[in-house]
Amino acid sequence: MSAYRFLLSAFTLLLALASSPASAYDPSPLQDFCVAINEPGNGEFVNGKFCKDPKLAAANDFSFSGLNIPRSTANRVGSNVTLLNADQIPGLNTMGISMARIDYAPNGGLNPPHTHPRATEILLVLEGTLAVGFVTSNPDNRLITKVLYPGDVFVFPIGLIHFQLNIGQASAVAVAGLSSQNPGAITIANAVFGSNPPINPDVLAKAFQLDKNIVYYLQKQFGGSVGQGPWDDMP
């Protein structure tokens, strides 16, 4: 895919996300813009970031280059998420949107089950074939799933667990628009089995109906400190 087509697709997705005021989850801004700065200096504090003096705002505060460049997927899950939020594009601060490029390795590259606690996500497939889905909340826990091809779009509602799996033999690429300048991400396996300090294995063994030794193994796989939780000091 040419750089022009990639960037055009990404822009179209963001435009669709931003076109309706109801699509933005963050509070609406009370000024034209609020370019984020790390030091207060002569700025003012609005919606999570200090704002640069508007008279000092420049084009670079509202732009980012290189999203067309493929990212490495040489990791355990075979995917790479490049998030563009107010940290990468300071001019996004208070605007209520962000976006991401997602690269998937061939034959099973996975963006594992996760949630965005502050954003709805709309995904546009640019290359490859993705099996995607989300699970509804209790008590139904319905799996809503579909196979997507280039040009297909899918929506993941705010807060619901969702995933994308590359079921093709070639690499896949997608771009996502998110209805928050800071959508957050909670990867389920990492949060549950890799928390710091670790969750009591008795809790996980009962919740997942697993042998405790399997819980220990999973905590080790996800970097948790097995057997070193706050409950060890309890009487």
Side-chain angles (χ1 to χ4, degrees), residues 87-113:
D87 291 328
Q88 289 74 39
I89 306 177
L92 276 179
N93 191 42
T94 76
M95 297 300 172
I97 60 170
S98 56
M99 71 177 299
R101 172 189 171 120
I102 312 166
D103 292 88
Y104 309 84
N107 299 307
L110 173 68
N111 190 10

Side-chain angles (χ1 to χ4, degrees), residues 2-232:
S2 69
Y4 172 78
R5 288 179 58 204
F6 178 91
L7 294 177
L8 179 61
S9 299
F11 174 77
T12 302
L13 181 67
L14 272 186
L15 184 63
L17 182 67
S19 61
S20 170
S23 67
Y25 182 73
D26 293 347
S28 298
L30 301 177
Q31 63 286 321
D32 287 343
F33 52 79
C34 172
V35 176
I37 55 174
N38 293 323
E39 297 295 332
N42 295 323
E44 53 185 288
F45 190 74
V46 177
N47 200 25
K49 296 277 188 179
F50 284 98
C51 299
K52 177 187 287 189
D53 184 337
K55 296 182 179 64
L56 301 178
N60 285 342
D61 294 323
F62 301 91
S63 67
F64 178 90
S65 298
L67 199 62
N68 60 311
I69 300 172
R71 268 56 176 182
S72 172
T73 56
N75 53 55
R76 291 194 302 175
V77 295
S79 69
N80 193 322
V81 179
T82 304
L83 178 64
L84 298 184
N85 58 18
D87 291 328
Q88 289 74 39
I89 306 177
L92 276 179
N93 191 42
T94 76
M95 297 300 172
I97 60 170
S98 56
M99 71 177 299
R101 172 189 171 120
I102 312 166
D103 292 88
Y104 309 84
N107 299 307
L110 173 68
N111 190 10
H114 62 283
T115 73
H116 300 296
R118 294 178 291 276
T120 293
E121 176 180 349
I122 182 168
L123 184 84
L124 168 64
V125 178
L126 301 178
E127 299 178 5
T129 306
L130 298 178
V132 307
F134 65 86
V135 179
T136 64
S137 56
N138 297 347
D140 293 338
N141 299 130
R142 289 182 58 214
L143 173 63
I144 310 295
T145 185
K146 186 176 178 66
V147 174
L148 305 181
Y149 303 94
D152 289 348
V153 172
F154 197 83
V155 173
F156 303 107
I158 183 171
L160 297 187
I161 296 173
H162 59 282
F163 63 88
Q164 302 107 37
L165 174 68
N166 183 5
I167 59 175
Q169 297 180 1
S171 298
V173 181
V175 291
L178 299 121
S179 62
S180 171
Q181 71 180 54
N182 184 23
I186 302 171
T187 304
I188 306 306
N190 298 64
V192 171
F193 294 106
S195 65
N196 183 25
I199 298 173
N200 188 326
D202 290 328
V203 172
L204 299 180
K206 179 167 286 189
F208 289 93
Q209 297 295 289
L210 296 174
D211 183 270
K212 195 183 294 187
N213 288 326
I214 296 177
V215 173
Y216 289 144
Y217 170 78
L218 290 172
Q219 288 182 319
K220 185 176 180 180
Q221 287 294 108
F222 287 94
S225 301
V226 177
Q228 298 181 14
W231 58 86
D232 291 341

